[in-house]
């Protein structure tokens, strides 16, 4: 790195926010290692200068106290000692070999591999998994998005996303994009929809969120009632003849079978069950059916609640029936620089050998990981490798996950801080921060133009830390994985340019299976050495660019890149490497959305038998999830203005709601006997915690909420740690989850409340 990045300067450095999937482009000023000013980057291809309050305080991530600066080894008495990198890597390699020799590499579990803005590490972690023979893995997507993926794999064979900036009707289902974003320039887009009398925003949420305040139609559905509401909307469209039957006949399969499942549903009964009056349901269904374009976004509010997989199915049936796929402002599949999910096993997913859980896109259900480790099954996991993730804090039943980690023969964590998960590990390896290395997000879902942005480091890594690609490379060297790879020839080819390197790398991969198996590490060790200082970790994107050029050649050319085959990929790669504001890497026409479907006939498969069977049960006996003992429904992990993911551990970044208050309706507060600022005890089947009460009339009576991102240990003065707020997963349990794919019901936890004496 140059001296200018480590001395006071008026220069603006281009980077991005890393606190949600949007990864908005920002520019920052530095004073030494401190980020002193942040502003939106108006030249960024996606965010165009947009940002929110989270990005403006990223220095609280970069320069938080408690950064790890040396590898740590747990001693027999539970304490940690610092060891040098060579010792740590050698001992970890030895430990993994011992587990493999005794139990097999498939008994090592890999969790994590990046998050939000830290996805390049996942490619390097995948190489290490293959080198160790690891077959079981999971990450945060498996406790949020596998139900959605299970449905989309069957219906589309790929992921779909909405074009909210142009939608005539925008529907937000269990989502508050004012805080959780999810698409480019979210708040700007929301304001534009709200200000346009020809467009309609529909929000389905028990709480009157900031997005609901802007909505034309707010449907305050009873917690857990979303499936009943969606089925009723579909039933109205079918019974009133509002479905686009000719379009369905041309573009879908199973439409008649699906329509039959919703014909004659008792709309009044479903209305009663979801808590929305029938007239409102009917008028809303008619507005959706009349629109020229409809875009829908579901999120954790429904994906972590009862009927989550069914809800993922129903909302897609809703917009398919009105012909909202493949039109401007509607829904479509999209390109990907590196897909985060694989939909290829759709309908034929394997199951975990210990728990029997469905493995969607290769991901073991998060709620089953700890139980599987703690079982006495002969195939149980014996070791864990956790990277850029904090499952002790983020997964259900934190105490159970702690016990699971302690029961393993060996556990390794790579992270920037001593997280709740790192505190349970045998070895902790200190990584460079996200602003000290090349990184990116793979949450690129725009259409018809899709973009990607590679971040360059703006600071040198702290002494003693390493970027994750270098950690993985050292581990594979120690394991001997690279011994039979001719790295020197590939390095020489890389020095001669991308064209020569492309030919040499492809030939090496064809002749040596190890090159293909751990290709990311080979790229890091060869092409990576020719890249600018601090950018070696970006080498894996050369292969991503080649794959994008292979999958979408015409769309890549339409985006302004030239050549055929590897040369087209090389042109894209050079732009990704050097353009700090990001690049549009594919440019499609809306008609191309059909060619992006991965179903055999490139039609939408509307009928999923398992889901249609569930529809038939919606008029059976009404399920109950609360009781006299636990009369409230707790949303354990609400997103708010000043909450973020757990990589931001310093609580001082919060300007409001410093302790993460428990929100409750005024009538509930009066019944419990608490006021604003009082202490309140919340008890669930999983545990008990004390929070600050916030009396809030946006909450529905009987519905309470705690925010995400709280309950983290932090040392404000560098001494003893303190915990601010409630860690939500001290209150959740692993058995409280979706029966189809195992996603947890964190947003529908039975609870009771008690006032705490002053």
């Amino acid at each position: 790195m140059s001296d200018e990045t480590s001395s006071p300067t008026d220069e603006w450095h281009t980077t991005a926010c890393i606190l949600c999937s949007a990864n908005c482009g920002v520019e920052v000023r530095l004073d030494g290692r401190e980020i002193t000013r942040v502003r939106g980057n108006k030249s960024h291809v996606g965010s165009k200068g947009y940002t929110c309050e989270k990005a403006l305080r990223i220095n609280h991530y970069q320069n938080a106290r408690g950064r790890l600066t040396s590898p740590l080894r747990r001693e027999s008495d539970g304490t940690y000692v610092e060891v040098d990198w060579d010792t740590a890597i050698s001992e970890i390699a030895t430990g993994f070999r011992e587990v493999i020799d005794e139990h097999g590499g498939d008994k090592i579990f890999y969790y994590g591999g990046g998050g939000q803005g830290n996805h390049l590490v996942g490619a390097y972690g995948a190489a290490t998994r293959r080198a160790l023979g690891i077959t079981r893995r999971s990450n945060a997507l498996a406790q949020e998005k596998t139900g959605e993926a299970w449905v989309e794999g069957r219906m589309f064979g790929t992921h779909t996303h909405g074009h909210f900036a142009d939608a005539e009707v925008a529907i937000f289902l269990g989502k508050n994009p004012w805080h959780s974003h999810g698409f480019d320039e979210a708040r700007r887009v929301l304001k534009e929809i709200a200000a346009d009398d020809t467009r309609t925003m529909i929000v389905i949420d028990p709480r009157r969120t900031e997005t609901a305040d802007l909505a034309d139609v707010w449907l305050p559905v009873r917690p857990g009632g979303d499936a009943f509401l969606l089925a009723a909307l579909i039933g109205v469209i079918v019974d009133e003849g509002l479905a686009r039957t000719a379009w369905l006949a041309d573009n879908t399969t199973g439409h008649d079978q699906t329509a039959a499942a919703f014909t004659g549903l008792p709309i009044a009964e479903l209305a009663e069950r979801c808590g929305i009056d029938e007239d409102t349901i009917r008028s809303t269904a008619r507005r959706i059916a009349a629109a020229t374009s409809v875009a829908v976004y579901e999120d954790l509010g429904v994906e972590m609640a009862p009927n989550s997989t069914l809800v993922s199915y129903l909302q897609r049936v809703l917009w398919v029936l009105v012909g909202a796929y493949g039109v401007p402002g509607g829904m479509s599949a999209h390109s990907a620089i590196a897909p985060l999910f694989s939909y290829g096993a759709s309908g034929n997913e394997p199951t975990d050998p210990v728990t029997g859980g469905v493995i969607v896109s290769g991901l073991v259900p998060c709620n089953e990981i700890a139980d599987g480790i703690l079982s006495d099954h002969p195939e149980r996991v014996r070791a864990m490798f956790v990277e850029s993730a904090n499952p002790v804090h983020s997964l259900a039943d934190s105490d159970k996950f702690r016990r699971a980690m302690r029961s393993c023969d060996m556990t390794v964590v790579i992270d920037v801080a001593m997280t709740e998960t790192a505190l349970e590990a045998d070895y902790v390896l200190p990584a460079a921060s996200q602003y000290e290395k090349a990184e990116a997000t793979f949450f690129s879902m725009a259409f018809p133009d899709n973009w990607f942005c590679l971040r360059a480091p703006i600071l040198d890594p702290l002494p003693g830390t390493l970027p994750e690609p270098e950690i993985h490379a050292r581990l594979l060297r120690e394991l001997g994985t690279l011994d039979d790879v001719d790295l020197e020839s590939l390095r020489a080819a890389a020095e001669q340019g991308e064209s020569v390197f492309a030919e040499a790398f492809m030939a090496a991969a064809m002749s040596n299976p190890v090159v293909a198996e751990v290709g990311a590490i080979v790229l890091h060790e060869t092409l990576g050495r020719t890249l600018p200082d601090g950018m070696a970790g970006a080498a894996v994107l050369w292969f991503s660019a080649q794959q994008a050029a292979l999958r979408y050649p015409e769309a890549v050319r339409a985006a302004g890149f030239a050549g055929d085959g590897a040369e087209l990929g090389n042109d894209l790669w050079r732009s990704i490497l050097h353009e700090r504001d990001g690049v549009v890497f594919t440019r499609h026409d809306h008609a191309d959305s059909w060619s992006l479907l991965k179903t055999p006939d490139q039609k939408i498969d509307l009928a999923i038998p398992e889901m249609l069977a569930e529809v038939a049960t919606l008029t059976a006996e009404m399920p109950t999830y609360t009781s006299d003992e636990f009369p409230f429904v707790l949303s354990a992990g609400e997103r708010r203005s000043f909450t973020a993911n757990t990589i931001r551990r310093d609580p001082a970044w919060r300007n409001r709601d410093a302790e993460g208050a428990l929100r409750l309706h005024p009538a509930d507060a009066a019944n419990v006997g608490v006021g604003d600022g009082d202490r309140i005890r919340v008890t669930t089947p999983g545990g008990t915690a004390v929070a600050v009460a916030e009396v809030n009339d946006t909450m529905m009576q009987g519905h309470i909420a705690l925010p995400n991102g709280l309950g983290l240990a932090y040392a404000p003065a560098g001494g003893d740690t303190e915990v601010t707020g409630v860690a939500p997963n001290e209150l959740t349990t692993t058995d409280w989850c979706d029966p189809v794919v195992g996603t947890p019901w964190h947003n529908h936890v039975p609870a009771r409340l008690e006032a705490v004496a002053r």
Side-chain angles (χ1 to χ4, degrees):
M1 303 294 294
S2 63
D3 291 340
E4 66 186 7
T5 64
S6 57
S7 60
T9 177
D10 291 333
E11 181 182 357
W12 290 97
H13 301 264
T14 303
T15 184
C17 176
I18 55 172
L19 293 168
C20 84
S21 62
N23 273 218
C24 297
V26 297
E27 296 174 314
V28 304
R29 280 183 174 174
L30 301 170
D31 186 349
R33 295 190 65 86
E34 294 290 318
I35 298 173
T36 57
R37 291 191 61 189
V38 181
R39 70 184 183 190
N41 176 11
K42 294 180 180 179
S43 299
H44 189 272
V45 292
S47 56
K48 303 179 181 67
Y50 171 89
T51 190
C52 76
E53 63 278 354
K54 295 179 175 67
L56 300 180
R57 300 172 72 78
I58 56 176
N59 190 59
H60 287 270
Y61 159 74
Q62 171 57 37
N63 290 301
R65 296 182 183 273
R67 282 285 301 278
L68 297 172
T69 56
S70 173
L72 301 175
R73 179 182 63 212
R74 180 193 289 275
E75 300 295 279
S76 58
D77 62 358
T79 61
Y80 284 93
V81 297
E82 294 185 357
V83 296
D84 62 79
W85 273 102
D86 288 344
T87 299
I89 294 295
S90 175
E91 292 181 0
I92 289 169
T94 297
F96 279 137
R97 284 195 199 99
E98 291 174 352
V99 172
I100 293 168
D101 290 344
E102 184 173 354
H103 304 290
D106 62 334
K107 306 306 186 302
I108 306 172
F109 196 102
Y110 180 91
Y111 187 90
Q116 305 293 24
N118 197 44
H119 282 151
L120 296 189
V121 61
Y124 294 101
T128 297
R129 292 201 318 267
R130 288 188 284 270
L132 293 171
I134 297 173
T135 58
R136 299 181 201 178
R137 66 183 180 97
S138 199
N139 58 41
L141 291 174
Q143 74 161 353
E144 300 171 356
K145 300 295 182 181
T146 42
E148 178 185 68
W150 187 90
V151 167
E152 290 209 294
R154 284 158 174 73
M155 294 183 74
F156 314 102
T158 188
H159 184 253
T160 60
H161 197 62
H163 320 145
F164 298 96
D166 301 315
E168 180 181 336
V169 172
I171 304 175
F172 300 109
L173 175 61
K175 181 171 183 65
N176 181 13
W178 189 263
H179 289 322
S180 62
H181 309 289
F183 50 92
D184 293 336
E185 304 177 87
R187 292 182 183 177
R188 288 180 186 171
V189 170
L190 293 176
K191 289 177 181 178
E192 289 172 0
I193 299 172
D196 190 336
D197 290 341
T198 68
R199 303 172 71 185
T200 301
M201 186 191 309
I202 301 170
V203 171
I204 302 172
D205 202 303
R207 191 174 85 81
R208 194 179 75 244
T209 64
E210 291 79 2
T211 306
D213 275 337
L214 292 170
D216 302 280
V217 180
W218 170 42
L219 302 177
V221 63
R222 183 175 290 122
D226 306 273
F228 303 105
L229 172 59
L230 291 168
L233 291 169
I234 296 167
V236 171
I237 287 171
V238 170
D239 286 347
E240 294 189 4
L242 303 176
R244 301 189 180 179
T245 52
W247 183 92
L248 291 169
D250 290 339
N251 296 298
T252 71
T253 60
H255 46 277
D256 290 338
Q257 179 186 357
T258 302
F262 293 93
T263 299
L265 287 178
I267 306 302
E269 181 181 340
L270 294 172
E272 174 65 25
R273 293 187 171 205
C274 70
I276 307 297
D277 69 87
E278 182 179 352
D279 288 344
T280 300
I281 290 174
R282 291 187 179 276
S283 63
T284 302
R286 292 163 188 154
R287 176 65 184 103
I288 293 169
T292 58
S293 61
V294 179
V296 183
Y297 204 133
E298 71 170 64
D299 213 345
L300 306 189
V302 294
E303 291 170 346
M304 288 185 164
N307 294 309
S308 56
T309 302
L310 177 60
V311 167
S312 292
Y313 173 66
L314 293 174
Q315 64 99 336
R316 288 167 175 81
V317 171
L318 176 65
W319 56 257
V320 171
L321 286 179
V322 299
Y325 183 84
V327 297
M331 305 292 295
S332 72
H334 54 84
S335 61
I337 199 73
L340 289 172
F341 267 122
S342 168
Y343 299 86
S346 180
N348 191 34
E349 289 86 357
T351 57
D352 185 85
V354 177
T355 65
V358 175
I359 299 176
V360 178
S361 192
L363 302 177
V364 173
C366 290
N367 271 35
E368 298 181 4
I369 299 170
D371 288 304
I373 295 171
L374 293 170
S375 77
D376 59 1
H377 195 286
E379 296 297 308
R380 67 187 181 277
V381 166
R382 307 293 182 134
M384 285 199 73
F385 196 144
V386 181
E387 179 170 31
S388 301
N390 190 5
V392 164
H393 187 277
S394 62
L395 301 190
D397 197 336
S398 295
D399 187 62
K400 183 183 287 186
F401 209 95
R402 292 187 195 99
R403 288 187 280 116
M405 288 190 69
R406 292 173 193 154
S407 74
C408 288
D409 296 346
M410 181 176 177
T411 50
V412 177
V413 166
I414 301 176
D415 216 311
V416 299
M418 201 67 174
T419 66
E420 288 69 23
T421 303
L423 284 168
E424 308 303 325
D426 296 314
Y427 290 89
V428 185
L429 302 179
S433 83
Q434 294 197 39
Y435 294 110
E436 299 165 358
K437 63 192 174 192
E439 260 299 353
T441 181
F442 291 154
F443 286 128
S444 299
M445 298 180 288
F447 184 89
D449 291 359
N450 203 1
W451 61 267
F452 179 79
C453 184
L454 171 65
R455 304 192 310 271
I458 59 173
L459 292 162
D460 292 321
L462 280 179
T465 71
L466 292 174
E468 292 98 332
E470 176 62 24
I471 297 174
H472 286 284
R474 292 189 182 197
L475 182 57
L476 262 62
R477 288 189 218 118
E478 183 68 24
L479 289 167
T481 306
L482 302 176
D483 288 352
D484 295 327
V485 178
D486 186 0
L487 297 176
E488 290 305 321
S489 293
L490 289 172
R491 286 168 186 155
E495 292 288 352
Q496 297 178 62
E498 292 95 342
S499 297
V500 174
F501 179 76
E503 185 175 346
F505 182 84
M506 297 306 179
M510 291 286 289
S511 63
N512 186 346
V514 175
V515 175
E517 186 176 66
V518 298
I521 300 297
V522 174
L523 288 169
H524 178 268
E525 294 293 275
T526 56
L527 180 63
R529 298 208 177 180
T530 70
L531 301 182
D533 189 24
M535 295 294 286
V540 70
L541 290 174
W542 173 82
F543 187 74
S544 297
Q546 295 293 337
Q547 290 294 101
L550 182 65
R551 286 192 296 264
Y552 325 107
E554 295 306 318
V556 171
R557 291 191 192 95
F561 302 99
D564 295 302
E567 286 309 306
L568 180 60
N570 285 335
D571 195 28
L572 174 58
W573 153 248
R574 286 188 288 266
S575 184
I576 287 173
L577 183 63
H578 296 295
E579 291 293 338
R580 296 282 75 85
D581 300 321
V583 299
V584 173
F585 69 95
T586 54
R587 177 161 286 143
H588 284 96
D589 293 325
H590 280 283
D592 296 335
S593 59
W594 294 99
S595 67
L596 292 172
L597 291 178
K598 297 297 189 294
T599 50
D601 54 5
Q602 291 193 317
K603 291 186 176 184
I604 298 169
D605 190 353
L606 200 52
I608 300 179
E610 299 95 323
M611 295 292 96
L612 294 180
E614 288 293 311
V615 171
T617 70
L618 289 176
T619 55
E621 183 178 353
M622 181 73 173
T624 57
Y625 301 106
T626 57
S627 63
D628 291 341
E629 182 181 7
F630 299 110
F632 291 92
V633 170
L634 168 67
S635 288
E638 181 187 30
R639 290 180 179 174
R640 300 179 185 172
S641 178
F642 281 88
T643 64
N645 53 41
T646 60
I647 66 169
R648 180 135 66 178
R649 304 183 67 82
D650 179 2
W653 83 275
R654 298 185 186 93
N655 281 349
R656 297 193 298 273
D657 191 22
E659 294 189 58
L662 183 139
R663 288 176 171 167
L664 72 167
H665 187 272
D668 291 329
N671 290 335
V672 175
V674 295
D676 273 327
D678 288 346
R679 296 285 167 177
I680 187 168
R681 179 177 292 107
V682 55
T683 301
T684 71
T688 297
V690 174
V692 173
E694 178 188 316
V695 182
N696 190 306
D697 63 5
T698 69
M699 299 299 297
M700 182 180 291
Q701 195 166 352
H703 186 213
I704 59 178
L706 284 166
N708 71 317
L710 277 291
L712 301 169
Y714 187 74
D720 293 339
T721 58
E722 299 176 4
V723 175
T724 301
V726 175
N729 283 305
E730 302 291 349
L731 300 172
T732 59
T733 59
T734 57
D735 61 342
W736 195 242
C737 61
D738 179 70
V740 181
V741 297
T743 45
W745 290 352
H746 290 345
N747 278 310
H748 203 280
V749 181
R752 68 172 180 267
L753 300 175
E754 301 166 89
V756 176
R758 293 178 177 84

